[in-house]
Amino acid sequence: MMNTPLTLRQLLERPVEYFPDKLIVSRTSQGQFHYRYRDFNQRVNQLAHGLRDMGIKPGDHVAVMAWNTFRHLELYFAIPLVGSIIHMVNFRLFPEQLTYILNHAEDVALFVEDSIASIVEPLISQLPTVDQYIVMGDEYTPEIPGVIDYETLLAGQPDAFPFPDLDENSACGLCYTSATTGNPKGVHYTHRALYLHSLTLCAADVLAMSERDVVMPVVPMFHANGWGLPYSATWVGATQVLPGPHPTPMDIVQLIQGEHVTVSAAVPTVWFAVEQLLAQDPSLNLRTLRTVPMGGSAVPRSFIQHMEHDWGIPITHAYGMTEATPLATYGYVKSAIAKMDESTRYDYRAKQGIPIPGMRIRVARRDGQEVHHDGQEMGEIWLQAPWVADEYYHDDRTSDTFVDGWFHTGDVAAIDPEGYLRLIDRTKDLIKSGGEWISSVELENALMGHPAVAEAAVIAVPHPYWIERPLACVVLKPDTTVKVTAEALLSFIAPHFAKFWLPDTIVFLPEIPKTSTGKFSKVRLREWYHRGDLGTPQPNSL
Amino acid sequence: MMNTPLTLRQLLERPVEYFPDKLIVSRTSQGQFHYRYRDFNQRVNQLAHGLRDMGIKPGDHVAVMAWNTFRHLELYFAIPLVGSIIHMVNFRLFPEQLTYILNHAEDVALFVEDSIASIVEPLISQLPTVDQYIVMGDEYTPEIPGVIDYETLLAGQPDAFPFPDLDENSACGLCYTSATTGNPKGVHYTHRALYLHSLTLCAADVLAMSERDVVMPVVPMFHANGWGLPYSATWVGATQVLPGPHPTPMDIVQLIQGEHVTVSAAVPTVWFAVEQLLAQDPSLNLRTLRTVPMGGSAVPRSFIQHMEHDWGIPITHAYGMTEATPLATYGYVKSAIAKMDESTRYDYRAKQGIPIPGMRIRVARRDGQEVHHDGQEMGEIWLQAPWVADEYYHDDRTSDTFVDGWFHTGDVAAIDPEGYLRLIDRTKDLIKSGGEWISSVELENALMGHPAVAEAAVIAVPHPYWIERPLACVVLKPDTTVKVTAEALLSFIAPHFAKFWLPDTIVFLPEIPKTSTGKFSKVRLREWYHRGDLGTPQPNSL
């Protein structure tokens, strides 16, 4: 058989040839911009010429700090197609983390969006490897010496670039994980990994990505390849909607309504906010959505059921991470389960699904043996696939995590007899109470099942006898008129847990602090606790 | 990223782990047999032990001559998974061709079904490399010395075989093309090619193969991996229906009805016969079919329309060949076309579709340049993909066909502005009349659009002035009561063609001879013509 390499070039060539008139819609601070795939392709080629003129060489790391926009999508293709590596930077990291990753990657150039440039300016003196800065967007008063304007870089460039033949195993992308302790860790993506991951998302029993779809990644494009949506959507020639800078929940709702979005993806907190808008204005209609893959953290069963029942929005659990490009499992409903009663179906849909084709999963006990598939025994999730990392980029911590061909995720799960994965917790978020494990995630899901609760995060706090005990932080919905007490919430969840699982304290907060990727920041909550800002644990009152 | 190889092992592991209770149904001469994927897997492992006991080594060619049965499917996996190569033999070839390919492949063993064993017996003395013969099925009185019974080979073997780690570029399958001239040519399939091909069939815009499907390949499993259906269906855990020995059109209808088949595939002649059954018995209902990919030869637009309108059977054109594993294009209806009027939609559906993701196609003029995408200019189809052959196995004819990284198919097509391929003819079936090309396929499709015509095949016959002229062979439907004349048929098609395209003669036959893969045998028709059995060409009467 031909040794045709699996590269991102094929993902661009097909839509340009067969779907040149399909649209890419990009929200900007001035309104909406849209163009066709044929225009997109022309600009990718012009950008490739611009990169060459800048002296960017194959194998160079090129940093990008941008919202989800058409220019970000152009960089997603042009940088890899010339043989360089796009470093998708999470610009919400702390300045010292940003400096760390830009230096660690030895980025030679940095593309930054106008609205984000102010984050970069103070760092410049600490970024010795970055030779060139390119600003995207009109709203920038140059403060960076020698800064290049993105549109000037493209202007007048030829429409066609002679893209080189590339080795499918060469790196084309780089993301850093938002590590909760220590410095972020880098993951190199290869052309081969992204080709296979993108194709697998198209499978009927995964996202079933189609040319008929209108795809809107709300998940940032710096977060594990935007969960792979932009590459997969481009390949099939789907209409793409990019929500641009600072999208509010109302922006998201309006884009879904206005563009008839069929597939969107975001972390649960975004959808919690969208749901509150829907509750306030029943005239809003998001029923064009055919699937909303949700990951980053577990979504309560009650929320999945509520969104589908009341708003016709089918949420599908997915599970993945930066090291897995990111997708590992998808909440496919087996044909046998689809025939079961509604309640049972939601039981399965509240789990994290089954491995996507090509992904091997082992849930391992401490001795490395697979746990029983009884839905109860807990173990660490290990992954193996052609789109799973086998190392952290130039990082001594590699050997702790990648062992004998398996990636040890640090996530704890159980597997039921049908093979569905149920995510229980991060290893480090599990609460070890008197020798027994308590899952913070399961307590959170139960608390968020209460109609008055908007958000709930459970952390371990030290205890003189039990070593650790759970403490729950709860945010009530703004429109809650009834007084909800800690006792009432504990009574609400008590039927579902052994008594020792119940939190000793429930603290009501105006908001749960979030990480740069929108997840609950348990690190911050623990800091607050140790500063005394969350009170001291009391025996629970039940 | 991990260097996890792309192998068929992953295609078997997933359904066994996640869909062990799904069924494989196999029609036998005694009725129906069915078992679960878990049983299937156990027998694949036992068969692997049997192969080892027989002394089969990695890299060995193992021939299989069988109908579509559960045992054939077991061989589809066990032989590649132990590192050997399954040679899927078209047992309808002439004896001298069979002897040629079995010797050319140097097969070390031959698995043969009981009902086919009589084909093999006379050849044994001419097959020096074949050391062992294994017969499948109960209805065989041993005539082959030392023959092994398939069930005896499996009996008592352990349930688990330690499958070796394999290089994804190693060969795992072998098919020979049914060449119309010269000896058959062999194509080696690799694990990588079959992994990628199988995954691509799962894509939403291709076959969208799903666990929910009930898949029945009527196309023989010796014909280009059964068009890839068995591998793809196994991977997703679909229910499989294998139609067994000598399926009649009524067998096929009954299996679709009885098993609620959703995806089936066969050459057009099979569906022409099925349609005649439906016409005779309106109580038959095949509406569970959600897609019927059809390839091997072009299907008339009128037939596609009729099958969907009258019987609710959605036929989708596909195009491929042995050298391409086989799929190259699929009749995906673009979203823009789906919104057009019905007649336009059928115009597109009568074409061969657009390349599946990962497949590159060039329709090339004689000078190698791409034809204009005007739907008119004709050129030869060239293919490039990781699942396209780059050589014929041990064959001097390789260099004629595989040139500069492209496979030259010998098929002639045009491409329209939307990128849809319209297959015009095999290069060698085109009729060269007075320096102009006439497409036999287009004339055939037009003739088969007449309600009284069941089959039509057009060949070139010599002409003293024009060099070649078209001659049409027509089979009328058995229930045709009206007298249909050659003049009436020519009048029927005349509006669609330049006058010089119209056949000089129409010959009525009781049947068109078929090749071993069910296509019209134009070689036989030309032989009949040259023997004087089809009459002599006359100027057409219009």
Side-chain angles (χ1 to χ4, degrees):
Chain A
M1 296 276 122
M2 293 178 178
N3 59 1
T4 319
L6 313 178
T7 70
L8 291 179
R9 187 166 159 193
Q10 297 169 64
L11 277 63
L12 179 62
E13 281 182 350
R14 186 170 183 269
V16 170
E17 176 118 18
Y18 297 98
F19 308 104
D21 293 324
K22 293 296 298 289
L23 290 181
I24 295 165
V25 180
S26 193
R27 179 179 158 272
T28 73
S29 45
Q30 288 87 40
Q32 272 184 32
F33 169 82
H34 70 259
Y35 62 0
R36 295 172 193 280
Y37 272 80
R38 64 169 86 245
D39 311 313
F40 166 66
N41 177 58
Q42 180 184 326
R43 284 171 56 91
V44 168
N45 278 266
Q46 290 177 319
L47 175 54
H49 278 284
L51 292 167
R52 188 159 68 177
D53 290 354
M54 284 168 58
I56 306 292
K57 293 185 297 297
D60 280 350
H61 285 146
V62 179
V64 176
M65 290 172 64
W67 294 94
N68 294 6
T69 69
F70 67 103
R71 293 189 183 99
H72 202 160
L73 193 66
E74 289 162 6
L75 290 159
Y76 249 51
F77 281 90
I79 296 172
L81 264 60
V82 301
S84 307
I85 300 161
I86 178 170
H87 174 193
M88 299 155 268
V89 179
N90 178 354
F91 55 80
R92 292 180 185 135
L93 293 174
F94 300 120
E96 53 271 35
Q97 290 176 313
L98 281 175
T99 310
Y100 172 82
I101 66 169
L102 292 164
N103 283 320
H104 186 263
E106 301 179 67
D107 293 310
V108 299
L110 172 56
F111 286 76
V112 62
E113 210 165 295
D114 49 8
S115 60
I116 304 167
S118 61
I119 298 174
V120 173
E121 287 156 7
L123 308 179
I124 288 176
S125 64
Q126 301 161 61
L127 304 175
T129 65
V130 179
D131 278 335
Q132 296 175 88
Y133 292 86
I134 307 91
V135 170
M136 301 179 276
D138 304 326
E139 306 195 348
Y140 182 64
T141 314
E143 304 270 346
I144 303 172
V147 70
I148 301 168
D149 172 63
Y150 183 89
E151 292 302 325
T152 308
L153 184 67
L154 270 66
Q157 296 283 10
D159 292 355
F161 186 89
F163 291 114
D165 292 326
L166 298 170
D167 182 332
E168 69 184 39
N169 291 307
S170 61
C172 62
L174 174 65
C175 279
Y176 280 79
T177 63
S178 47
T180 45
T181 53
N183 283 315
K185 293 174 278 189
V187 174
H188 253 173
Y189 303 108
T190 60
H191 283 272
R192 171 181 163 105
L194 285 168
Y195 179 108
L196 292 169
H197 186 266
S198 302
L199 184 57
T200 306
L201 292 197
C202 296
D205 295 349
V206 190
L207 255 78
M209 192 73 85
S210 165
E211 185 263 330
R212 286 178 291 268
D213 279 315
V214 181
V215 180
M216 181 167 77
V218 178
V219 52
M221 287 167 71
F222 58 71
H223 190 182
N225 305 297
W227 292 1
L229 266 62
Y231 285 126
S232 197
T234 301
W235 198 357
V236 298
T239 302
Q240 294 185 62
V241 181
L242 299 167
H246 293 290
T248 65
M250 185 51 88
D251 291 330
I252 291 164
V253 165
Q254 287 175 344
L255 284 168
I256 295 170
Q257 281 210 148
E259 304 302 324
H260 309 290
V261 170
T262 62
V263 178
S264 187
V267 291
T269 42
V270 170
W271 297 106
F272 296 160
V274 166
E275 192 280 329
Q276 293 194 21
L277 291 179
L278 294 172
Q280 286 160 23
D281 182 354
S283 77
L284 297 173
N285 180 346
L286 307 186
R287 287 171 192 268
T288 54
L289 288 168
R290 69 164 180 83
T291 185
V292 176
M294 206 174 293
S297 39
V299 189
R301 179 188 188 280
S302 56
F303 186 74
I304 295 174
Q305 189 166 13
H306 167 60
M307 287 288 272
E308 182 146 333
H309 255 277
D310 296 350
W311 310 119
I313 300 176
I315 290 174
T316 307
H317 249 150
Y319 166 69
M321 66 283 297
T322 302
E323 292 88 338
T325 304
L327 199 62
T329 70
Y330 192 74
Y332 174 71
V333 179
K334 297 184 186 185
S335 54
I337 292 168
K339 290 177 192 139
M340 295 180 182
D341 65 282
E342 191 180 31
S343 174
T344 307
R345 290 203 308 273
Y346 279 114
D347 289 344
Y348 283 102
R349 287 187 50 197
K351 301 185 184 187
Q352 274 63 40
I354 60 174
I356 60 177
M359 173 64 66
R360 294 179 75 198
I361 290 196
R362 181 186 293 177
V363 178
R365 300 191 305 230
R366 282 175 189 278
D367 63 4
Q369 292 304 302
E370 174 100 35
V371 299
H372 292 101
H373 290 200
D374 57 8
Q376 297 302 322
E377 193 181 3
M378 299 181 195
E380 185 185 13
I381 303 172
W382 296 2
L383 303 180
Q384 187 178 78
W387 56 89
V388 172
D390 62 352
E391 63 171 6
Y392 289 119
Y393 176 66
H394 291 184
D395 201 307
D396 292 342
R397 292 166 290 183
T398 290
S399 58
D400 303 337
T401 307
F402 303 95
V403 185
D404 293 337
W406 290 91
F407 162 49
H408 294 203
T409 64
D411 288 327
V412 175
I415 294 196
D416 71 21
E418 288 285 350
Y420 281 73
L421 193 79
R422 181 168 57 89
L423 198 58
I424 291 170
D425 222 328
R426 292 286 301 165
T427 311
K428 61 182 177 299
D429 290 336
L430 276 177
I431 298 145
K432 288 96 180 172
S433 173
E436 299 276 354
W437 278 358
I438 296 173
S439 163
S440 62
V441 173
E442 296 197 9
L443 290 170
E444 289 159 8
N445 284 346
L447 287 165
M448 288 192 279
H450 190 284
V453 173
E455 296 176 350
V458 175
I459 58 169
V461 295
H463 188 279
Y465 181 73
W466 299 114
I467 313 301
E468 288 184 356
R469 288 294 301 152
L471 177 145
C473 303
V474 166
V475 179
L476 295 179
K477 289 185 181 167
D479 54 354
T480 301
T481 50
V482 191
K483 172 92 177 118
V484 181
T485 63
E487 287 69 25
L489 289 179
L490 288 170
S491 303
F492 177 75
I493 67 169
H496 305 295
F497 299 104
K499 195 172 173 204
F500 77 93
W501 273 52
L502 295 178
D504 289 335
T505 308
I506 291 184
V507 179
F508 292 93
L509 298 176
E511 188 177 10
I512 305 282
K514 307 288 191 307
T515 69
S516 58
T517 53
K519 298 181 196 179
F520 296 149
S521 174
K522 298 195 179 178
V523 174
R524 300 275 294 284
L525 286 175
R526 289 189 201 106
E527 287 170 6
W528 291 359
Y529 173 81
H530 289 292
R531 285 206 314 255
D533 291 354
L534 296 180
T536 40
Q538 307 289 332
N540 75 57
S541 54
L542 292 184
Chain B
M1 296 277 124
M2 292 178 178
N3 59 1
T4 319
L6 313 178
T7 70
L8 291 180
R9 187 167 157 192
Q10 298 169 63
L11 277 62
L12 179 62
E13 281 182 349
R14 187 170 183 269
V16 170
E17 176 117 19
Y18 297 98
F19 309 104
D21 293 324
K22 295 294 298 288
L23 290 181
I24 295 166
V25 180
S26 193
R27 178 178 157 274
T28 73
S29 46
Q30 287 87 40
Q32 273 185 31
F33 169 82
H34 70 259
Y35 62 179
R36 294 172 194 280
Y37 272 80
R38 63 170 87 246
D39 311 313
F40 166 65
N41 178 57
Q42 181 184 327
R43 284 171 55 92
V44 168
N45 278 266
Q46 291 177 318
L47 176 54
H49 279 283
L51 292 167
R52 189 159 68 177
D53 290 354
M54 285 168 57
I56 305 291
K57 293 185 295 296
D60 280 349
H61 285 146
V62 178
V64 176
M65 290 171 66
W67 294 93
N68 294 5
T69 69
F70 67 102
R71 292 189 183 100
H72 202 161
L73 193 66
E74 290 162 5
L75 290 159
Y76 249 52
F77 281 90
I79 296 172
L81 265 60
V82 300
S84 307
I85 301 161
I86 178 171
H87 174 193
M88 300 155 266
V89 178
N90 177 353
F91 55 79
R92 291 181 185 135
L93 293 174
F94 298 119
E96 54 270 33
Q97 290 176 313
L98 281 174
T99 310
Y100 172 81
I101 66 169
L102 292 164
N103 282 319
H104 186 264
E106 301 179 66
D107 293 310
V108 299
L110 171 56
F111 285 77
V112 61
E113 211 166 295
D114 48 7
S115 61
I116 304 167
S118 61
I119 298 174
V120 173
E121 287 157 7
L123 308 178
I124 289 177
S125 64
Q126 302 162 60
L127 303 175
T129 65
V130 180
D131 278 335
Q132 297 175 87
Y133 291 86
I134 307 90
V135 170
M136 301 180 276
D138 304 326
E139 306 194 349
Y140 182 64
T141 314
E143 304 269 346
I144 304 172
V147 69
I148 301 168
D149 173 64
Y150 183 88
E151 293 302 325
T152 307
L153 184 66
L154 271 66
Q157 297 283 10
D159 291 355
F161 186 89
F163 291 115
D165 292 327
L166 298 171
D167 182 332
E168 68 184 41
N169 290 307
S170 61
C172 62
L174 174 64
C175 279
Y176 280 78
T177 63
S178 46
T180 43
T181 54
N183 282 317
K185 293 174 279 189
V187 175
H188 253 172
Y189 304 108
T190 61
H191 282 272
R192 172 181 163 104
L194 285 167
Y195 179 108
L196 292 168
H197 186 268
S198 303
L199 184 56
T200 306
L201 291 197
C202 297
D205 295 349
V206 189
L207 254 78
M209 192 72 85
S210 165
E211 184 264 331
R212 286 178 291 268
D213 279 316
V214 181
V215 180
M216 182 170 76
V218 177
V219 52
M221 287 167 70
F222 58 71
H223 191 181
N225 305 297
W227 293 1
L229 267 62
Y231 284 125
S232 199
T234 301
W235 198 356
V236 298
T239 302
Q240 295 186 61
V241 181
L242 299 166
H246 293 290
T248 64
M250 185 50 87
D251 291 331
I252 291 165
V253 166
Q254 287 176 343
L255 283 168
I256 295 171
Q257 283 211 148
E259 304 301 323
H260 309 290
V261 171
T262 63
V263 177
S264 187
V267 291
T269 43
V270 169
W271 297 106
F272 296 161
V274 166
E275 193 279 330
Q276 293 192 22
L277 290 180
L278 294 172
Q280 286 159 22
D281 182 355
S283 77
L284 298 173
N285 180 345
L286 307 186
R287 286 171 192 267
T288 54
L289 288 168
R290 69 165 180 84
T291 184
V292 176
M294 206 175 292
S297 38
V299 189
R301 179 188 188 281
S302 56
F303 187 73
I304 295 174
Q305 189 166 10
H306 167 61
M307 287 289 272
E308 182 146 335
H309 255 278
D310 296 351
W311 310 118
I313 300 176
I315 289 174
T316 307
H317 249 149
Y319 166 69
M321 66 282 298
T322 302
E323 292 87 339
T325 304
L327 200 63
T329 70
Y330 192 74
Y332 174 71
V333 179
K334 297 184 185 186
S335 54
I337 292 168
K339 290 177 191 140
M340 296 181 181
D341 65 282
E342 192 180 29
S343 175
T344 307
R345 290 202 308 274
Y346 280 113
D347 288 344
Y348 283 102
R349 288 188 49 199
K351 301 184 184 188
Q352 274 64 40
I354 59 175
I356 60 176
M359 173 64 66
R360 295 180 74 199
I361 289 196
R362 181 185 292 176
V363 177
R365 299 192 305 230
R366 281 175 190 278
D367 63 5
Q369 293 303 302
E370 174 100 34
V371 298
H372 292 101
H373 289 198
D374 57 8
Q376 296 303 322
E377 192 181 4
M378 298 180 196
E380 185 186 14
I381 303 171
W382 295 3
L383 303 180
Q384 187 178 78
W387 57 89
V388 172
D390 62 352
E391 63 171 5
Y392 289 120
Y393 176 66
H394 291 184
D395 201 306
D396 291 342
R397 291 165 292 182
T398 289
S399 58
D400 303 337
T401 306
F402 303 95
V403 184
D404 293 337
W406 291 91
F407 162 50
H408 294 204
T409 64
D411 287 326
V412 174
I415 294 196
D416 71 22
E418 288 286 351
Y420 281 73
L421 193 79
R422 180 169 58 89
L423 198 59
I424 292 171
D425 221 328
R426 291 288 301 169
T427 311
K428 61 181 177 300
D429 291 335
L430 277 176
I431 298 146
K432 288 96 180 173
S433 172
E436 299 276 355
W437 277 358
I438 296 172
S439 162
S440 63
V441 173
E442 296 196 10
L443 289 171
E444 289 160 8
N445 284 346
L447 286 165
M448 287 192 279
H450 190 286
V453 173
E455 297 176 350
V458 175
I459 57 170
V461 296
H463 188 280
Y465 181 73
W466 298 113
I467 312 301
E468 287 184 355
R469 288 294 299 151
L471 177 145
C473 302
V474 166
V475 179
L476 296 179
K477 289 184 181 167
D479 53 355
T480 301
T481 49
V482 191
K483 170 91 178 120
V484 181
T485 63
E487 286 69 26
L489 290 179
L490 288 169
S491 303
F492 177 75
I493 67 170
H496 306 295
F497 298 105
K499 194 170 171 205
F500 78 92
W501 273 52
L502 296 178
D504 289 333
T505 308
I506 291 185
V507 179
F508 292 94
L509 298 176
E511 188 179 10
I512 304 283
K514 308 289 190 309
T515 68
S516 59
T517 54
K519 299 181 195 179
F520 295 150
S521 174
K522 297 195 179 179
V523 173
R524 298 276 295 284
L525 286 175
R526 289 187 202 109
E527 287 169 5
W528 290 0
Y529 173 81
H530 289 293
R531 284 207 315 255
D533 290 352
L534 296 179
T536 40
Q538 307 288 333
N540 74 56
S541 53
L542 293 186

